[in-house]
Amino acid sequence: MKTENYLTDNFSIEYDTYMTEGAYGLRIFMQDPTGENEMNVHVTAEGAQWTYSNTKSLNGTNPAAIQYGNYYNKWHHIALAYKNDQLKVYVDQYRVLTVPHCGMKPAKIDCAGIGNQDNPIIFKDLKIADGARIIPSSLKI
């Protein structure tokens, strides 16, 4: 990134992830330009959770077709789309969470998680795109 605050007004983040049973998974942290406010998204075999500065949270549930035992040991495509203070989280072709008002404009991201030899954090093809329209047309919106 060429600047410290590189996210645009509308953006998307996409990546592919593989989770074993017992794995924590990847967490995407998004900070405002000052670094004082932060929101994060954590996608698991149960669904997606959004948290804002540890004061607010929303949860969404994966459909049965990709939940728990149907989620583990498979690759999944995760997409986050931020537009006009709204965040949508997709797992494969399903929209699992909509945050109607995030309460902040993200400027940068960090990725984190808890892993070990038996339950590593596995992800690939992380993409950040200008605009929130990169979501593949195969997704059910």
Side-chain angles (χ1 to χ4, degrees):
M1 302 300 166
K2 294 182 180 182
T3 63
E4 184 176 340
N5 299 317
Y6 47 84
L7 294 177
T8 58
D9 289 341
N10 299 312
F11 64 88
S12 62
I13 301 168
E14 295 185 62
Y15 62 95
D16 296 316
T17 188
Y18 185 96
M19 283 182 60
T20 58
E21 192 167 350
Y24 180 80
L26 184 68
R27 190 178 290 260
I28 304 290
F29 292 89
M30 294 166 266
Q31 296 91 24
D32 71 4
T34 67
E36 294 177 17
N37 295 304
E38 176 179 85
M39 64 181 177
N40 71 74
V41 174
H42 186 207
V43 177
T44 66
E46 182 178 350
Q49 179 183 45
W50 169 85
T51 305
Y52 175 77
S53 294
N54 293 320
T55 60
K56 301 179 203 174
S57 66
L58 286 174
N59 295 302
T61 305
N62 288 339
I66 59 165
Q67 194 175 48
Y68 300 119
N70 294 326
Y71 191 89
Y72 297 119
N73 303 312
K74 298 175 186 166
W75 282 101
H76 297 281
H77 184 75
I78 311 300
L80 289 68
Y82 178 89
K83 184 175 183 179
N84 300 328
D85 196 41
Q86 183 180 76
L87 181 72
K88 295 180 182 177
V89 179
Y90 298 86
V91 179
D92 296 333
Q93 71 266 28
Y94 305 100
R95 183 172 63 194
V96 298
L97 178 63
T98 300
V99 180
H101 299 289
C102 293
M104 66 170 270
K105 163 58 185 87
K108 53 191 169 187
I109 71 165
D110 283 324
C111 301
I114 301 169
N116 60 36
Q117 191 70 20
D118 296 325
N119 296 299
I121 300 168
I122 303 171
F123 70 100
K124 65 179 184 175
D125 299 330
L126 178 69
K127 298 178 226 174
I128 302 171
D130 181 16
R133 299 183 63 91
I134 195 164
I135 308 303
S137 61
S138 63
L139 295 179
K140 297 176 183 174
I141 298 176

